[in-house]
Amino acid sequence: GDSVTQMEGPVTLSEEAFLTINCTYTATGYPSLFWYVQYPGEGLQLLLKATKADDKGSNKGFEATYRKETTSFHLEKGSVQVSDSAVYFCALCEDNDMRFGAGTRLTVKP
Amino acid sequence: DTAVSQTPKYLVTQMGNDKSIKCEQNLGHDTMYWYKQDSKKFLKIMFSYNNKELIINETVPNRFSPKSPDKAHLNLHINSLELGDSAVYFCASSQETVWPGYHEKLFFGSGTQLSVL
């Protein structure tokens, strides 16, 4: 069945550092791919998405490219801020259901 | 203020008990949902209400009963809890009904982790 695997955390970076959170997936068809973010005490929020191969999703300086050949959707940001500290979830949606990764906690220190 | 809030955040209880999870949204949305996320992180829709009317009712045991006193609230009551009910339950809302396939328009709560012993 479908699954999502993302790098385990926690990840701790200094402000302005480069961020990569790896995400790979397995799917039977052509899923849509998402990154969700959960800030402390809040619900999941959609960060970005890509619906087909080679699409690049971007938002708030974050980017991820749908790579079908490597079945990956890695999240990147060139310069993180303290306010980016949160838990990041990679997810895929195929047919009517969603599957999430386990989440990666990011802490950015000033 | 949190847009979609659900309580409690954690719930530990014994088999056979009856428990409720509450959800409230302050976004003015018309549609609310309950999802169940199992141990494999698979998120499956359970129910959806639009303006207090039940519109989606997936194959869920009768022990689960949603209640929507108004369009800002959708509570989930579970009778006779079983071990297999252990999961994280997510509430969500959207301005209009967007299932299936348009999950990017959903606003999720932070989840309620239910553990049945």
Side-chain angles (χ1 to χ4, degrees), chain A residues 10-77:
Chain A
V11 174
T12 302
L13 296 173
S14 297
E15 209 164 21
E16 299 184 3
F18 184 86
L19 168 72
T20 300
I21 302 179
N22 289 340
C23 172
T24 57
Y25 69 91
T26 59
T28 53
Y30 303 94
S32 296
L33 302 175
F34 306 85
W35 276 100
Y36 281 82
V37 58
Q38 186 174 27
Y39 297 105
E42 297 186 13
L44 295 171
Q45 301 175 29
L46 179 67
L47 180 60
L48 53 85
K49 67 179 175 76
T51 56
K52 62 182 188 299
D54 300 325
D55 269 3
K56 177 185 282 188
S58 60
N59 185 25
K60 299 181 181 179
F62 291 89
E63 292 183 340
T65 302
Y66 190 143
R67 302 278 189 207
K68 196 170 190 314
E69 64 277 13
T70 54
T71 61
S72 65
F73 193 56
H74 304 323
L75 182 68
E76 296 181 337
K77 186 173 185 180

Side-chain angles (χ1 to χ4, degrees), chain B residues 29-31 33 50 55 93-99 105-106:
Chain B
H29 287 167
D30 288 335
T31 308
Y33 311 78
N50 179 270
I55 54 171
S93 74
S94 62
Q95 180 53 48
E96 55 198 40
T97 304
V98 293
W99 180 86
K105 297 188 179 182
L106 292 171

Side-chain angles (χ1 to χ4, degrees), chain B residues 21-37:
Chain B
I21 308 172
K22 296 184 177 180
C23 179
E24 175 182 3
Q25 54 94 4
N26 61 7
L27 297 166
H29 287 167
D30 288 335
T31 308
M32 296 184 72
Y33 311 78
W34 276 109
Y35 284 82
K36 179 180 179 181
Q37 185 182 46

Side-chain angles (χ1 to χ4, degrees), chain B residues 82-100:
Chain B
E82 300 178 357
L83 293 176
D85 298 332
S86 296
V88 180
Y89 292 83
F90 282 96
C91 178
S93 74
S94 62
Q95 180 53 48
E96 55 198 40
T97 304
V98 293
W99 180 86

Side-chain angles (χ1 to χ4, degrees), chain A residues 19 21 35-48 59-62 75 77 80-89 103-108, chain B residues 1-4 9 90 107-111:
Chain A
L19 168 72
I21 302 179
W35 276 100
Y36 281 82
V37 58
Q38 186 174 27
Y39 297 105
E42 297 186 13
L44 295 171
Q45 301 175 29
L46 179 67
L47 180 60
L48 53 85
N59 185 25
K60 299 181 181 179
F62 291 89
L75 182 68
K77 186 173 185 180
V80 293
Q81 305 300 312
V82 172
S83 57
D84 294 327
S85 298
V87 182
Y88 292 83
F89 294 87
T104 302
R105 182 176 298 279
L106 170 66
T107 302
V108 180
Chain B
D1 286 341
T2 304
V4 181
K9 188 170 177 61
F90 282 96
F107 288 74
F108 285 92
S110 55

